[in-house]
Amino acid sequence: MSEKPITGEKRAFMTGNEVVAWAALAAGADIMYGYPITPQNEIMHYWTRQIPKYGRKFLQTEDELSAGFTTVGGVLAGLKAFTATAGPGNTLMQEPLSMAEMMRLPVVTVVQQRGGPSTATVIYSQQEVTLTTLGGNGEGMRVVYSPSNHQELFDYTIKSFNTAWKYRFPTFVLGDGYQAKMRESVTLYDPEEKGITFVTPERYVGKPGTPGVDRDPGHYRNTYNTEEELFEVLQQHFADFEKMAPEVIEYSQESVEDADVIIIGHGVVFRGVRDAVKELREEGLKVGYFRPITLRPFPAEQLKALATQGRKLLIAESAQGQLARLVKDAIYGATAEIVPMFRPGVGITTEQIVAKVKEVL
Amino acid sequence: MDKLSQQKSGGGCTISKRIVEAYVGEYASGKSEVAVNRALELSRDGRKVNLVDLDIVEPCYTLRPIKKELESAGMTVLAWETRDTIGLGEAGNIIKPECRWALYREGDVILDIGYGVEGAKTLNLLEGVDETPEMQIFAVINVKRPMTSTVPEILDYIKELGPIDGLINNTHLGDETTPEVVEEGARMVTEVSKILGIPVVATTADQEVAKKIGQQDVMGNPVRPLTRFMPRTFW
């Protein structure tokens, strides 16, 4: 490999898509496979502009099905491979990513959500939460990070490669069109200088030696002919995921101890949530927030502990209840009241959240 | 009249009071912000100004949200409006016909050319370029953009843009911008200017920061204060 893309720390003014491309470079990704779709295109643009300098690769495929399957292929060949997509591209990606779930392949996928259904809009949406967390057929397990600013986009894109390769579950970074195109300052750094050790990728196929003689055969399957066999394999996946969850789950919360209302928001909406809590607290109102950073595995226990009698959980999302579905599943049996604030495919401002809280307090 | 026009007319190259400027540069370098502010500045001087949104990759996102406000300041804004773009699909990627003919308009013409190098090629789509010798193409540079963060990178990038008549140092870090950040850019852009023999037209900075820098930056380039409109637009 040629020189390092980043040495030391550098403060830069960037769009979210560029941040993702730089993060993938910094994380030592070997190859990106992709098919263009707004609003993720500049991830490809900036990746391809940079890679000649650093000896990395790119393959543009004929569609997202192929982009997903080639990413799967890259990982099988032992490459740190990733792809990026959005909207209907994300729908098509679910088949190859489902294969990655079945075969436990550390594929990294960046999703910059669009409005939907179908091609709809490209700017602002959180309508791909259900698809990204639970989109595969069967019951595959995956990790989904939801960053809310450019620094997190950088940090979590880097982290996603390590999570994927350490635990061998496909890992997603769930951004959105707004974060993708928004401009903001970010500190770029070399992860290794920060003490981050990269998990070394490993070949699945094409290993040296004779299978069965020098080494165990590599037997990676996405097809089973007996129910018992599949059942057994899935039990192992579920157990591994459950064991991993406490190590991977991330969330943040503030001012929740005495809160009458806890606002729940993720991703770009969290920016408004955080500012609303600050403003409402300054007015002396008992309001806090809970923000899941991993949407899967979801910080269920942590949120359930807050969902106590007499409290209101205001769920703010740019979707018609996709985060709410995760929340309800997590806190089942708790007695806090859920107050929806659903604005599918449109933005949510601090002012709107403040007004809504005052209405329900 | 700005510094460059004075030099030009003083030298007898182009005798024209009409100002035609095209702003090009790296994606997210601040072209629109600089172009909008320039148009407002000319408009405030009582000039007839046409501001043209020529982003053909992502049209209708940049100036659309502030179009009405700019028009109320007295200028003509050639850009899609929301009601015109409904039905055009994802990015409504069609050049607004009147933008293509903008150079034939009476008065000054400020062209906001979106989307980096691909955008700079948009100039080929304009009618009347040959008949507009007064047209100046300015490259907007923010050295805090990672692809244009060193002198060699800026030189490489400008080569890709095609012919350029002037450079604008628009170095900033959003809300974190300090005079030092802007002046770091001024030094680098001035060095590029010396190497290429292309003048630095201005250093641009948010009003607060511009006030601290003064009328000229550390390299002697004129400072244009900016009112920030873009945080209110989409992209």
Side-chain angles (χ1 to χ4, degrees):
Chain A
M1 202 193 296
S2 334
E3 59 180 306
K4 282 195 165 189
I6 303 161
T7 46
E9 279 190 13
K10 187 169 167 182
R11 197 81 178 140
F13 190 70
M14 295 167 83
T15 67
N17 280 334
E18 288 170 81
V19 169
V20 170
W22 279 84
L25 279 173
D30 297 300
I31 186 163
M32 175 183 187
Y33 302 87
Y35 183 76
I37 187 166
T38 311
Q40 71 79 27
N41 287 325
E42 294 85 12
I43 297 177
M44 290 166 55
H45 297 172
Y46 280 88
W47 175 260
T48 50
R49 273 171 79 176
Q50 295 282 61
I51 54 175
K53 274 189 266 177
Y54 306 110
R56 319 290 178 85
K57 292 193 166 91
F58 175 74
L59 179 70
Q60 182 176 323
T61 56
E62 69 271 32
D63 57 26
E64 286 88 350
L65 273 173
S66 295
F69 279 119
T70 46
T71 312
V72 162
V75 164
L76 282 168
L79 297 176
K80 265 179 154 176
F82 76 107
T83 186
T85 191
N90 193 8
T91 309
L92 287 176
M93 285 269 179
Q94 294 307 318
E95 186 185 348
L97 294 170
S98 191
M99 182 182 183
E101 290 180 317
M102 186 75 258
M103 296 169 78
R104 298 284 300 269
L105 303 177
V107 170
V108 170
T109 305
V110 180
V111 176
Q112 301 288 34
Q113 297 170 93
R114 299 170 57 119
S118 191
T119 43
T121 59
V122 293
I123 304 172
Y124 196 108
S125 168
Q126 295 189 314
Q127 294 173 285
E128 294 178 53
V129 167
T130 304
L131 183 64
T132 308
T133 52
L134 296 161
N137 70 304
E139 292 163 300
M141 313 305 280
R142 50 175 73 181
V143 176
V144 180
Y145 291 108
S146 174
S148 71
N149 59 46
H150 283 10
Q151 196 60 56
E152 290 180 356
L153 213 45
F154 190 73
D155 298 346
Y156 284 102
T157 301
I158 290 169
K159 187 180 260 186
S160 65
F161 285 96
N162 261 0
T163 303
W165 280 95
K166 182 173 179 190
Y167 301 103
R168 305 291 171 102
F169 289 110
T171 302
F172 296 74
V173 177
L174 183 66
D176 60 84
Y178 201 79
Q179 289 194 64
K181 301 283 185 173
M182 183 177 74
R183 288 110 210 238
E184 180 168 271
S185 296
V186 59
T187 300
L188 305 176
Y189 54 82
D190 171 20
E192 284 174 316
E193 283 174 23
K194 287 257 184 190
I196 296 169
T197 311
F198 287 122
V199 179
T200 314
E202 187 192 359
R203 277 170 177 275
Y204 283 72
V205 293
K207 287 181 178 171
T210 309
V213 179
D214 308 311
R215 60 173 172 85
D216 288 337
H219 196 200
Y220 316 109
R221 305 173 60 190
N222 65 335
T223 306
Y224 294 86
N225 49 0
T226 68
E227 300 155 352
E228 293 82 353
E229 212 178 355
L230 173 66
F231 183 83
E232 197 181 307
V233 169
L234 289 180
Q235 293 314 307
Q236 189 59 51
H237 289 191
F238 300 149
D240 290 348
F241 196 81
E242 202 176 322
K243 186 163 165 254
M244 172 199 73
E247 294 169 35
V248 166
I249 282 173
E250 289 186 48
Y251 65 98
S252 67
Q253 60 182 48
E254 205 176 290
S255 310
V256 288
E257 293 75 19
D258 64 341
D260 297 323
V261 175
I262 295 174
I263 312 169
I264 305 173
H266 76 99
V268 72
V269 170
F270 170 68
R271 300 165 76 102
V273 171
R274 181 197 51 206
D275 291 352
V277 168
K278 189 164 173 266
E279 216 176 296
L280 291 159
R281 277 282 162 182
E282 277 165 11
E283 288 184 38
L285 299 169
K286 290 181 177 173
V287 180
Y289 71 70
F290 183 89
R291 172 212 174 186
I293 297 172
T294 46
L295 296 183
R296 202 173 173 203
F298 195 84
E301 280 173 37
Q302 293 83 352
L303 180 57
K304 193 171 182 180
L306 302 176
T308 48
Q309 181 73 36
R311 266 188 170 154
K312 286 178 176 163
L313 304 181
L314 172 64
I315 305 174
E317 58 175 314
S318 295
Q320 190 66 16
Q322 301 196 18
L323 173 64
R325 199 173 288 136
L326 296 174
V327 169
K328 287 174 196 164
D329 186 48
I331 65 164
Y332 179 73
T335 47
E337 182 190 341
I338 287 178
V339 182
M341 184 176 183
F342 300 158
R343 292 177 54 77
V346 290
I348 302 182
T349 63
T350 304
E351 296 74 28
Q352 288 166 334
I353 298 169
V354 166
K356 183 75 182 176
V357 169
K358 287 182 175 169
E359 184 190 310
V360 301
L361 248 178
Chain B
M1 217 183 256
D2 71 358
K3 190 181 160 196
L4 203 75
S5 325
Q6 278 168 9
Q7 284 172 346
K8 284 234 163 184
S9 26
C13 307
T14 313
I15 311 287
S16 171
K17 286 191 176 167
R18 188 185 184 218
I19 292 172
V20 179
E21 293 172 351
Y23 289 85
V24 300
E26 165 74 349
Y27 183 60
S29 62
K31 296 175 292 293
S32 298
E33 196 78 274
V34 173
V36 164
N37 274 275
R38 176 62 167 160
L40 275 171
E41 179 195 340
L42 295 172
S43 190
R44 273 195 296 263
D45 289 347
R47 303 176 67 101
K48 187 173 170 57
V49 180
N50 301 281
L51 174 65
V52 188
D53 184 356
L54 264 179
D55 187 334
I56 57 157
V57 182
E58 290 166 350
C60 83
Y61 289 108
T62 312
L63 295 186
R64 190 176 54 168
I66 55 170
K67 187 170 186 271
K68 288 262 178 286
E69 186 180 342
L70 295 173
E71 280 166 345
S72 66
M75 69 176 80
T76 304
V77 181
L78 305 187
W80 288 111
E81 280 195 35
T82 304
R83 66 168 186 273
D84 298 331
T85 56
I86 286 171
L88 282 180
E90 174 171 314
N93 44 5
I94 173 172
I95 188 168
K96 197 173 190 204
E98 63 178 359
C99 292
R100 189 172 172 195
W101 299 91
L103 293 179
Y104 288 107
R105 288 189 168 245
E106 195 191 322
D108 299 336
V109 180
I110 302 298
L111 303 157
D112 173 16
I113 314 280
Y115 223 85
V117 171
E118 286 311 307
K121 294 177 189 162
T122 309
L123 285 170
N124 298 334
L125 302 176
L126 276 182
E127 298 292 337
V129 173
D130 294 344
E131 297 154 59
T132 317
E134 65 271 39
M135 182 157 92
Q136 299 280 308
I137 304 172
F138 296 148
V140 178
I141 298 156
N142 178 357
V143 311
K144 290 294 173 188
R145 300 276 302 133
M147 300 296 282
T148 52
S149 67
T150 63
V151 169
E153 281 170 2
I154 300 168
L155 288 169
D156 282 349
Y157 188 73
I158 288 178
K159 259 181 237 162
E160 290 178 76
L161 284 175
I164 296 295
D165 301 297
L167 306 174
I168 302 227
N169 166 38
N170 184 45
T171 300
H172 71 95
L173 273 173
D175 297 338
E176 298 171 21
T177 312
T178 60
E180 291 71 36
V181 167
V182 177
E183 300 205 320
E184 183 189 337
R187 284 193 187 87
M188 242 184 249
V189 173
T190 306
E191 196 181 331
V192 168
S193 154
K194 282 181 187 147
I195 295 169
L196 295 176
I198 299 172
V200 180
V201 176
T203 274
T204 47
D206 178 71
Q207 283 179 331
E208 290 291 303
V209 178
K211 208 182 291 171
K212 288 182 198 154
I213 299 173
Q215 296 204 321
Q216 290 192 333
D217 68 23
V218 67
M219 303 305 290
N221 305 308
V223 174
R224 280 191 201 168
L226 296 179
T227 304
R228 291 177 69 197
F229 287 92
M230 291 308 124
R232 284 189 276 136
T233 66
F234 289 117
W235 291 349

